[in-house]
Amino acid sequence: MTKSWLARVASLLVLILLFGVTGMVTATEEKTAELLTKLVQTGRKVVSDHQALINDPEKGDKGFTPEFLAEKVIAEFQKSTGIDLRKPSGEDGKLLVALLEVEKEVVADAQSVINRQDMGFKGFIPAVFVRKTAEKFSSRSGIKIKFTAIDFRNARNKPDDFERKAFGVIAAPNYPKGKPYQEAMPLDGKAVIRIMFPEYAAKSCLSCHGDPKGEFDITGGKKEGQKEGDLAGALSFTIPAK
Ligand code: HEC
């Protein structure tokens, strides 16, 4: 009798301890993923703010160079987070600088398209910038980033089982808006934290993802019929547990 009672208390204590520790550990990974999310979104915003310039058929050299992007991103990121990417510190600082480097490379790779004259829409849109940045960063760092949605356009962004499950949770009407969803799990024999940062449709997204549903947008894809504020997708992270 006494023994099984003791055993129960002991296993309860172990459980509480485990949850406590997991909670603490995932907080650091969440912080890292949150900063990386902000930096991806900052780069995307700079691309978005310059769509008219990029798609200008009158102009050859647009001046939308990797250095130009970096200058704008550094300024905006400092404004929104207080972090100066020119003076990075700690592990997160290294990751952020690596991500900025990748964003610059994505713009460098697109220079010949961006600087084409006599061509309007070029397909160098914010979503493509995000996917290329995520793919490049994932291929060379231990952290995987993916831009995904339930109603995906590009098969490369197709959600996996975890992401599908997470969308189910995030899409629930009572789920707090903007709250990241995360789970710790084993992957290839190692512990990882998977975190999804939800993205919601803004006005600027609706020319492609809005109404009328099924109509073609400027990219040649079919509009999804989203309304402002709808869950549009997520940035999905796989981070080795520390
Ligand atoms: C110019 C049209 C256009 C606009 C504006 C646009 N998107 Fe997209 N979006 C696309 C295309 C095309 C893709 C597929 C890109 C690729 O090749 O990966 C895409 C991909 C995505 C994805 C990844 C999953 C998928 O569908 O493949 C998400 C999430 C997404 N968009 C959300 C948004 C949000 C949020 C906004 C506004 C902040 C936005 N989009 C603005 C055209 C657009």
Side-chain angles (χ1 to χ4, degrees), residues 64-137:
F64 195 81
T65 59
E67 295 70 34
F68 177 86
L69 174 98
E71 190 188 304
K72 300 267 177 225
V73 167
I74 287 169
E76 295 225 7
F77 193 73
Q78 185 163 25
K79 225 190 307 166
S80 67
T81 65
I83 295 172
D84 184 354
L85 293 173
R86 287 160 304 192
K87 296 184 205 125
S89 72
E91 276 303 303
D92 283 350
K94 268 191 218 147
L95 284 168
L96 290 168
V97 167
L99 179 59
L100 178 62
E101 231 13 78
V102 168
E103 292 187 359
K104 285 169 74 179
E105 277 181 39
V106 169
V107 170
D109 292 348
Q111 285 300 293
S112 62
V113 176
I114 291 171
N115 290 330
R116 231 145 108 182
Q117 211 173 356
D118 299 326
M119 185 193 205
F121 181 69
K122 299 176 178 66
F124 190 73
I125 60 171
V128 168
F129 167 83
V130 172
R131 174 170 53 75
K132 294 205 157 152
T133 297
E135 286 174 350
K136 232 184 224 282
F137 185 78

Side-chain angles (χ1 to χ4, degrees), residues 43-64:
R44 176 175 68 189
K45 182 173 183 301
V46 174
V47 173
S48 180
D49 287 348
H50 295 84
Q51 275 294 281
L53 170 71
I54 291 167
N55 290 336
D56 185 351
E58 309 285 315
K59 257 204 182 122
D61 186 359
K62 314 283 191 301
F64 195 81

Side-chain angles (χ1 to χ4, degrees), residues 43 104 107 154 170 191 203 238 241:
K104 285 169 74 179
V107 170
N154 188 324
I170 292 169
K203 272 209 184 78
T238 306

Side-chain angles (χ1 to χ4, degrees), residues 125 127 131 147-149 152-154 157 204-205 208-209 219 232-233:
I125 60 171
R131 174 170 53 75
F147 196 34
T148 183
F152 56 90
R153 291 278 185 106
N154 188 324
N157 303 329
S204 67
C205 319
C208 294
H209 294 290
T219 73

